[in-house]
């Protein structure tokens, strides 16, 4: 599959990032002592986005013979590559090739303590049931060609791109974190000059295509600082996988030919699909935490706001709450989570709010779809985490002054909090704070917390007196009663809530007097 291998290799790297054993911006010299001088500062981010400074497609085979030598090791090959002069300072130009990924893979071997092929098999092929895929000849596994040496099938690779579309989840199994997948399809090349790219030859036919940027292991259709709407990784022999995030769609064209023969047709095929298939009414980027409006994995009991089109009636309609119970249908609108209707707060065509059922706890991912007047937006998978805490802001934007009430009943956004007083803050996404009954409901009585909730104000730990459902708050909203530290001087401080090590947004402040 030639360069379609790069996408799989990028995913292996991100599993190590998820493990916390290495960072995308770690310098090679920290792990490879033979990377010195102008190569010492090369990073994994640069290595897997072709911006490390090495020569690209115009590299002479004589300059790096180890790339085709299956009898050597990845370490010896990395040492050989370390002797090749850079074509540009790291980070300044994009030159599509194999050298940097080959050396970056050696960094991953060192930091994980496992051979690359073992990592590829254990972390990608086996969990995704890519049973017909191979990373290297069985008898010569020590120096796989990281950027272009794997074999696969259309069916096998379709499992991989479905996992990417589902933000790291496949068949209720988490392969990557959703943050890792977002990194993969975000432009990692910055403003680097595109010096060597297979897309440059199509510039006369499609003006602008030569400026196609790169993420971690794959090409991006657009060049924003935010995640791309489309990612692909064509191989030199025509094997062409892609993900269209705007249509909740994946594709794999499995052929054996040459890039020059296949590339014009794959571009036409993808164009035809875009014309035939409309944009999805709801995608992962429209699933947001109600407090911060940030996209991410969802958690049990979280208050979500969905943004899209055709999600409900033209006029916003709120829930008629009876005895504290929220309806699962409003104005012929339902939101299905793994096929089951979720409690709704309000519905409208462009914006609908729901409470994530507690039954999602323990799952890696769930399907989500909106059904309005019998028409479905189409189900797609969103990842699930135990907690995704965020705090509400005073203006609803998720930034600025935190939403809260002082001990005397005034709003913290209008009256500074007194040191030593208790302020009530409000958030959502704190997960299973309370015990659930066998039928999935939450008892009304107060019970001990199941999770460790903490709050810092200006980096100073604050005592959390209470964390649970507020008396007058919407279900899905958690109230935190916090004692303002006496040690803080008057001023404005960032306020952050954390649960089991997961923290809320960092853009909220609390003013203290």
């Amino acid at each position: 599959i030639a360069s379609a291998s790069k996408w799989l290799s990028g995913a292996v790297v991100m599993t190590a990032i998820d493990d916390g054993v290495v960072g995308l911006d770690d310098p090679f010299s920290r792990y490879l002592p033979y990377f010195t001088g102008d190569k010492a500062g090369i990073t994994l981010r640069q290595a897997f986005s072709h911006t490390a400074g090495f020569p690209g497609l115009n590299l002479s085979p004589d300059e790096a013979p180890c790339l085709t030598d299956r009898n050597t090791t990845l370490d010896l090959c990395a040492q050989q590559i370390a002797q090749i002069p850079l074509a540009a300072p790291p980070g300044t130009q994009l030159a599509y090739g194999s050298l940097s990924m080959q050396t970056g893979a050696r960094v991953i071997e060192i930091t994980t303590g496992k051979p690359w092929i073992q990592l590829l098999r254990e972390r990608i092929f086996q969990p995704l049931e890519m049973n017909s895929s191979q990373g290297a000849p069985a008898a010569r596994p020590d120096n796989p060609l990281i950027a272009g040496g794997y074999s696969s099938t259309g069916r096998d690779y379709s499992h991989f791109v479905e996992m990417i579309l589902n933000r790291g989840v496949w068949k209720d199994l988490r392969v990557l974190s959703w943050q890792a997948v977002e990194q993969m399809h975000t432009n990692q090349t910055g403003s680097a000059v595109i010096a060597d790219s297979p897309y440059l030859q199509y510039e006369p036919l499609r003006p602008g295509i030569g400026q196609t940027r790169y993420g971690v292991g794959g090409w991006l259709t657009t060049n924003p600082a935010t995640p791309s709407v489309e990612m692909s990784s064509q191989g030199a022999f025509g094997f062409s996988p892609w993900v269209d995030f705007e249509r909740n769609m994946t594709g794999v064209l499995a052929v054996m030919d040459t890039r020059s023969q296949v590339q014009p047709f794959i571009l036409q095929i993808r164009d035809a699909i875009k014309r035939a298939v409309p944009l999805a009414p709801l995608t992962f980027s429209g699933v947001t935490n109600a407090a911060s409006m940030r996209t991410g994995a969802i958690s049990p009991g979280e208050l979500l706001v969905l943004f899209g089109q055709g999600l409900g009636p033209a006029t916003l309609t709120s829930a008629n709450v009876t005895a504290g119970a929220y309806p699962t249908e409003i104005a012929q609108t339902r939101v299905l989570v793994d096929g089951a209707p979720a409690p709704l707060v309000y519905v409208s065509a462009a914006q609908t709010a729901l409470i994530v059922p507690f039954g999602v706890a323990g799952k890696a991912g769930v399907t989500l779809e909106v059904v309005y007047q019998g028409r479905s937006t189409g189900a797609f998978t969103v990842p699930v985490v135990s907690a995704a805490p965020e705090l509400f802001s005073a203006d609803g934007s998720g930034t600025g002054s935190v939403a809260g009430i002082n001990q005397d009943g005034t709003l913290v956004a209008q009256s500074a909090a007194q040191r030593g007083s208790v302020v009530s803050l409000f958030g959502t996404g704190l997960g299973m704070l309370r015990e659930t009954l066998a039928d999935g409901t939450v008892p009304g009585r107060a019970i001990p917390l199941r999770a460790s909730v903490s709050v810092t104000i200006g980096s100073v730990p604050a005592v959390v007196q209470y964390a649970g459902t507020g008396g007058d708050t919407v279900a899905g909203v958690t109230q935190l009663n916090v004692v303002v530290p006496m040690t803080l001087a008057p001023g404005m401080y960032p306020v952050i809530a954390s649960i089991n090590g997961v923290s809320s947004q960092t853009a909220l402040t609390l003013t203290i007097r």
Side-chain angles (χ1 to χ4, degrees):
I1 61 174
S3 286
S5 306
K6 292 180 172 67
W7 206 350
L8 302 174
S9 295
V12 174
V13 170
M14 296 312 296
T15 66
I17 302 296
D18 280 343
D19 287 348
V21 298
V22 67
L24 278 178
D25 294 315
D26 285 1
F28 274 18
S29 57
R30 182 178 301 175
Y31 311 102
L32 308 177
Y34 41 82
F35 269 75
T36 58
D38 59 352
K39 301 183 186 71
I42 292 174
T43 66
L44 278 173
R45 188 187 306 275
Q46 294 166 345
F48 280 83
S49 63
H50 306 292
T51 58
F54 283 110
L57 295 172
N58 297 324
L59 177 75
S60 167
D62 296 334
E63 293 183 74
C66 69
L67 289 178
T68 56
D69 183 1
R70 303 279 75 81
N71 292 313
T72 187
T73 67
L74 200 54
D75 181 45
L76 291 175
C77 190
Q79 292 185 46
Q80 185 180 110
I81 294 171
Q83 303 307 311
I84 298 174
L86 294 181
T92 63
Q93 74 172 26
L94 188 163
Y96 188 70
S98 299
L99 298 180
S100 61
M101 286 190 176
Q102 197 75 8
T103 53
R106 178 55 185 159
V107 171
I108 300 301
E109 285 191 331
I110 292 172
T111 54
T112 61
K114 292 185 177 182
W116 180 269
I117 289 300
Q118 181 180 347
L119 291 168
L120 177 63
R121 184 171 58 250
E122 293 179 351
R123 301 188 175 197
I124 304 299
F125 289 164
Q126 289 178 354
L128 292 176
E129 299 180 19
M130 298 176 68
N131 301 322
S132 298
S133 301
Q134 191 174 11
R140 294 176 292 173
D142 296 330
N143 185 40
L145 182 56
I146 307 303
Y150 309 156
S151 61
S152 190
T153 66
R155 182 181 297 275
D156 270 17
Y157 213 104
S158 70
H159 299 174
F160 176 78
V161 288
E162 286 172 19
M163 179 273 291
I164 294 295
L165 176 64
N166 295 338
R167 271 44 178 210
V169 176
W170 191 74
K171 282 192 173 181
D172 202 28
L173 178 69
R174 182 176 300 284
V175 179
L176 289 170
S177 69
W178 71 269
Q179 296 96 329
V181 176
E182 294 289 287
Q183 282 283 344
M184 291 181 74
H185 69 100
T186 298
N187 174 23
Q188 302 294 340
T189 67
S191 58
V193 175
I194 299 180
D196 206 344
S197 163
Y199 284 99
L200 289 173
Q201 61 184 302
Y202 302 106
E203 185 68 25
L205 298 175
R206 293 182 175 229
I209 197 172
Q211 292 302 305
T212 301
R213 292 284 169 170
Y214 209 82
V216 178
W219 294 101
L220 310 178
T221 298
T222 54
N223 178 25
T226 55
S228 173
V229 297
E230 196 169 20
M231 188 172 182
S232 59
S233 188
Q234 283 73 47
F237 307 130
F239 193 92
S240 303
W242 75 97
V243 173
D244 186 335
F245 296 103
E246 286 190 315
R247 290 170 177 77
N248 292 328
M249 179 181 292
T250 66
V252 181
L253 176 64
V255 297
M256 176 65 78
D257 206 309
T258 63
R259 185 196 302 273
S260 60
Q261 291 285 349
V262 175
Q263 188 73 23
F265 292 101
I266 190 63
L267 293 175
Q268 292 177 41
I269 288 170
R270 285 163 58 179
D271 285 346
I273 291 173
K274 289 178 182 178
R275 290 192 297 270
V277 180
L279 297 177
L282 179 65
T283 66
F284 180 77
S285 62
V287 181
T288 67
N289 180 289
S292 64
M293 297 301 166
R294 294 200 302 183
T295 297
I298 66 174
S299 62
E302 181 178 357
L303 182 60
L304 292 183
V305 177
L306 308 181
F307 293 94
Q309 54 184 342
L311 305 183
T315 303
L316 189 146
T317 306
S318 297
N320 183 11
V321 182
T322 304
Y326 283 77
T328 56
E329 182 171 336
I330 303 175
Q332 302 181 66
T333 303
R334 295 185 300 156
V335 178
L336 305 182
V337 179
D338 259 3
L344 301 176
V345 179
Y346 62 81
V347 299
S348 71
Q351 185 174 328
T352 289
L354 69 140
I355 302 165
V356 178
F358 283 100
V360 308
K363 297 183 178 181
V366 293
T367 58
L368 181 69
E369 66 178 309
V370 178
V371 179
Y372 173 57
Q373 293 184 339
R375 297 189 300 272
S376 172
T377 58
F380 63 97
T381 299
V382 293
V384 175
V385 292
S386 61
E390 303 283 16
L391 294 176
F392 286 90
S393 65
D395 62 4
S397 68
T399 63
S401 177
V402 68
I405 302 174
N406 286 311
Q407 191 169 325
D408 61 5
T410 59
L411 300 179
V412 297
Q414 300 174 358
S415 179
Q418 177 73 44
R419 286 176 293 173
S421 67
V422 176
V423 296
S424 296
L425 308 179
F426 303 93
T428 191
L430 277 77
M432 301 287 284
L433 286 177
R434 306 181 72 184
E435 181 182 12
T436 55
L437 301 179
D439 62 0
T441 61
V442 179
R445 58 190 175 84
I447 60 169
L449 298 182
R450 278 191 165 185
S452 176
V453 181
S454 62
V455 173
T456 59
I457 302 174
S459 300
V460 177
V463 174
V464 179
Q465 291 186 339
Y466 170 81
T469 304
D472 297 323
T473 61
V474 173
V477 174
T478 299
Q479 178 176 323
L480 302 171
N481 293 346
V482 179
V483 180
V484 180
M486 289 292 297
T487 57
L488 291 173
M492 181 184 294
Y493 298 93
V495 55
I496 299 174
S498 300
I499 181 166
N500 294 342
V502 182
S503 299
S504 63
Q505 72 268 46
T506 58
L508 293 179
T509 59
L510 176 68
T511 301
I512 297 173
R513 57 186 170 91

